[in-house]
Each structure stands twice: as C-alpha cells, then as structure tokens.
Amino acid sequence: SVGLAARRVDRMESVAAEIEQRGGKAVVCPCDVGDRADVVAAVNKTERELGPVDLLVANAGMSILTHVKAFDSAGVEQVLRVNFLGAVYAVEATLPGMLERQSGQLVAMGSIAGYGGLPKTAAYSASKGAMHNFFESLSVDLRGTGVDVTIITPGYIKTELTDQNRHHMPFLVELDPAVQRIAEASARRKKHLAFPRPLSTAVWLAQMLPAPWYHALAARVKRKKAE
C-alpha cells in the first residue's frame, strides 16, 4: 500500500495504476511539499485510505545555481523549503504515530553534495547538509523506540533533474540500479548508504583536507564546470 505525494498528478496516477496492476493499493495526494498544510493533508488522506504510515520516504528535491553576483535569497529559500523543510513537515506528520506503535522507518534522500560546499551549489549543498544532520540527529534520538532512520547520500543519478546539467558528472549512475540499491538499503534498515563508492569516498576525503587545499580543489572543479 503506497501513498504518493507530489505536484504532478498525471505522474502519480500512472504509478498508482502500475501498483494496482501488481496487486497493491495506492492513493494519489496532490501536494507541494514546501507547504506544511499540504504535507499534513497528504499524510492524513493516506492514513484514512490505507492505514498508518509504516515507511516514510522523503525524496522530493530541486536545485538551482547560486550565483554570487546575482544572489537571490528567494531561490535559496525555495530550495530549502522543498529539499529540507518538506521532509521536516512529513516527519512531523508521521513520527507521532510511529512512536505510539513503536514501529516505523524514516528514509531520507540526501546527497554527496551535502558533505561540503561545492561551486555554485550553495543552496542545494546547504539543503542536503541539513537533511543529513537532521536525520542523523533523529537517528540518535530514536534509538530504542522501534523507529529506524536510513540516510541515502547518492552522487549523480540519471534523472530529469540531472539531464539539465551541462557539466561533467563523474560516475553517473543509471536510474534503475540506483533505485534497486536504495530499496535494498531501506529494506535492510541500513543507517547509511552512500554511492557510487569512488565518488563518495573522494568527496569525503576532500573534507579532511586543510581549508586552503580544499578551496583550491573546489576552484578546479568550478573551472571544469565552466568548461
């Protein structure tokens, strides 16, 4: 039984039809995750029609380029609202029931970009860093409650979002294998999944560098993106 919450109703209806063809149940909930009332309404509708939420997958995301010479705080706010606060609203709506039942799982879609600041991605990197730290804290606080937290931190996955990129995307992962890895990690209730390993390891190690070295490396990445 799957509750679908997103803006594009036609996409959700197509997924719902596939779920039902395979013998499952689905409910479509038109929702802007950046709107707290929308998120609460979507969760309430799902629970009325399908029962309590056992698994929350906070997967909504968007990105913008952050230009220092044309800085727009409204764009940053939108990214944070969709990528981070939408997940917070969903947790607020689902966690009390999970705690009462002493059972449940929160799956958070982060990004390797959340490990540190990257060129022209201040808004996106900040939102994914917030996701990681927020759900990491929840994971600690929820120990012993029966509610598990899984944090997914992928690199580049081939989707409509990354198709808009014009820069090199190292170790680009096709969608189906990525989804399989995420599903398996969630089913096993792993605490973390970071992939692809070469990219996640490289970015993690870069954070261990002294600040001047890291900034010099990031500047090289910026030049490559410009090319």
Side-chain angles (χ1 to χ4, degrees):
S1 299
V2 182
L4 303 166
R7 294 172 303 164
R8 294 178 290 188
V9 176
D10 57 332
R11 297 287 185 92
M12 289 192 292
E13 289 177 342
S14 176
V15 174
E18 184 176 353
I19 290 169
E20 291 170 355
Q21 287 171 2
R22 297 186 181 198
K25 297 179 181 179
V27 58
V28 171
C29 305
C31 173
D32 176 356
V33 299
D35 186 305
R36 179 179 177 274
D38 268 16
V39 175
V40 172
V43 172
N44 289 341
K45 180 180 178 180
T46 297
E47 295 195 324
R48 282 196 309 270
E49 299 191 23
L50 299 178
V53 174
D54 301 307
L55 169 65
L56 169 68
V57 181
N59 183 58
M62 63 170 293
S63 181
I64 61 170
L65 292 178
T66 310
H67 298 283
V68 293
K69 292 184 178 180
F71 186 78
D72 177 16
S73 64
V76 177
E77 181 180 359
Q78 183 184 20
V79 172
L80 289 172
R81 189 170 296 281
V82 171
N83 293 9
F84 174 55
L85 289 179
V88 174
Y89 301 149
V91 169
E92 179 187 26
T94 57
L95 184 56
M98 292 182 181
L99 289 172
E100 183 178 350
R101 297 186 299 275
Q102 299 183 346
S103 175
Q105 184 180 11
L106 308 173
V107 176
M109 188 60 63
S111 169
I112 289 174
Y115 287 177
L118 297 173
K120 296 184 179 179
T121 62
Y124 186 76
S125 294
S127 70
K128 293 303 184 178
M131 282 284 284
H132 187 278
N133 290 334
F134 177 78
F135 281 94
E136 187 75 66
S137 296
L138 286 184
S139 181
V140 175
D141 292 337
L142 290 170
R143 288 185 63 182
T145 65
V147 181
D148 294 314
V149 176
T150 298
I151 302 172
I152 311 295
T153 53
Y156 293 108
I157 300 175
K158 185 170 176 53
T159 65
E160 292 180 10
L161 187 64
T162 55
D163 283 346
Q164 299 173 24
N165 293 339
R166 293 296 174 263
H167 58 79
H168 176 58
M169 294 179 285
F171 303 103
L172 180 68
V173 181
E174 293 293 330
L175 181 59
D176 287 346
V179 170
Q180 186 64 32
R181 294 194 66 174
I182 293 168
E184 290 174 356
S186 301
R188 293 168 56 192
R189 293 180 177 253
K190 290 186 64 174
K191 293 295 183 184
H192 295 95
L193 169 65
F195 70 97
R197 182 61 59 85
L199 183 59
S200 63
T201 301
V203 174
W204 181 80
L205 288 174
Q207 295 304 304
M208 304 297 106
L209 295 173
W213 294 11
Y214 175 77
H215 290 168
L217 180 61
R220 290 185 62 184
V221 173
K222 181 177 180 180
R223 286 196 296 271
K224 286 186 177 181
K225 283 189 175 185
E227 294 170 359

